[in-house]
Each structure stands twice: as structure tokens, then as C-alpha cells.
Amino acid sequence: AGSGDWVKLDSTYLPAGSNIELQIIDSGEKTSNAVLRADAIRFSLVKEVTGVNDQAEQNFPKECELNQNYPNPFNPSTVISFDIPKQSIVKLVVYDILGRSIKTLVDEMKSPGNYKVRFDASMLTSGVYFYRITAGNFTDSKKLLLIK
């Protein structure tokens, strides 16, 4: 689409000194053959953040928070959201009722912001499960209910 014109794929905030990795993936849903044609990629510095009172930083969460999944009860998937006020290594894991790790949903460095993660439990049986987040010194857990 837009052959010959610039096509905006994404826009994001990156803290100073961040490494950038660009991945372009063709899902194959709308093409019969995978085709990617590009003769240039353009990066633009839209606004330089110069201080802690800058408007861009005021939109970050003030504290870590793990929200209740929605919907709950769910079948077969649900969304778990959380807020991170500063760059942290974030780990989000789902456990069964006996405390066994079922699925690690997030295990990486995250920039400040609001995040949503979809959990697909189609291969699990009905029951009570727990999810736990660790971000820096913050830890919290919530209960979720899978009903098939």
C-alpha cells in the first residue's frame, strides 16, 4: 500500500541510550507470496525530552500496578494489564493452584508505560490459576478463573 509514499508503521518513545531493533514480519494473511520492498527506512526525532517536567514524562504511571485480568472468569483467553513507572526488568508468570509455573508471559526489560498481555489458556483445564508480576522491588499476584 502507498507505493512510492512513506508509510508510517509505528511511533514510540525511547529513553536515551536505548538500543533499537526493527523487525518486519509478514503474517501472510493478505498476500499470496511474501513481498517486502523498501528502498529506505526513515527515523525521525520528533521531540527531544530535556527534563523531568517534560510533558512526555508526565504521562508515565506514578507507581507499579498489576490489574485484575479481563474478562474474569474467561474462556479461552484473557488480558492482563500492568503499569511500570520506570525502566525495570519485568517478569509476569501464570501458576496453577499448586504453585507450578504454567506460562511465562513476560521476562524482559520494559520501559515506563502501560502494558497489556493476552493469555491464551486453550490448552489448560478449567480451574483457578494465579499470575504474579515482579518489576524491580515490586511484586503482586492476582487470581484468575478459567471456565470451559
Side-chain angles (χ1 to χ4, degrees):
S3 182
D5 296 328
W6 287 104
V7 177
K8 183 177 181 178
L9 299 176
D10 194 14
S11 177
T12 188
Y13 165 79
L14 297 171
S18 296
N19 291 327
I20 299 171
E21 178 181 335
L22 177 65
Q23 291 184 349
I24 300 174
I25 300 170
D26 179 8
S27 64
E29 294 175 10
K30 296 182 181 177
T31 60
S32 57
N33 295 315
V35 175
L36 173 62
R37 186 173 47 130
D39 49 22
I41 296 175
R42 180 173 63 181
F43 294 93
S44 300
L45 176 62
V46 177
K47 181 179 177 203
E48 187 173 353
V49 177
T50 58
V52 293
N53 292 328
D54 198 279
Q55 180 65 31
E57 293 206 11
Q58 291 178 2
N59 294 328
F60 292 144
K62 302 285 188 235
E63 58 187 33
C64 285
E65 184 174 3
L66 177 62
N67 300 302
Q68 186 63 53
N69 64 300
Y70 181 83
N72 191 35
F74 70 98
N75 179 25
S77 68
T78 187
V79 174
I80 299 170
S81 62
F82 58 92
D83 303 331
I84 304 296
K86 62 182 182 179
Q87 188 169 5
S88 305
I89 295 176
V90 176
K91 190 166 186 174
L92 179 62
V93 182
V94 177
Y95 299 91
D96 67 12
I97 195 76
L98 298 175
R100 296 178 295 207
S101 175
I102 298 298
K103 175 98 175 167
T104 299
L105 301 175
V106 177
D107 189 7
E108 63 188 359
M109 181 69 75
K110 291 285 191 187
S111 297
N114 311 96
Y115 294 90
K116 292 183 180 180
V117 179
R118 180 167 297 281
F119 172 51
D120 180 4
S122 56
M123 301 302 287
L124 299 175
T125 59
S126 295
V128 175
Y129 294 87
F130 297 92
Y131 56 101
R132 176 181 168 159
I133 191 168
T134 304
N137 294 328
F138 175 77
T139 301
D140 195 10
S141 300
K142 303 269 188 210
K143 178 172 64 171
L144 48 85
L145 181 60
L146 172 61
I147 299 178
K148 291 191 172 186

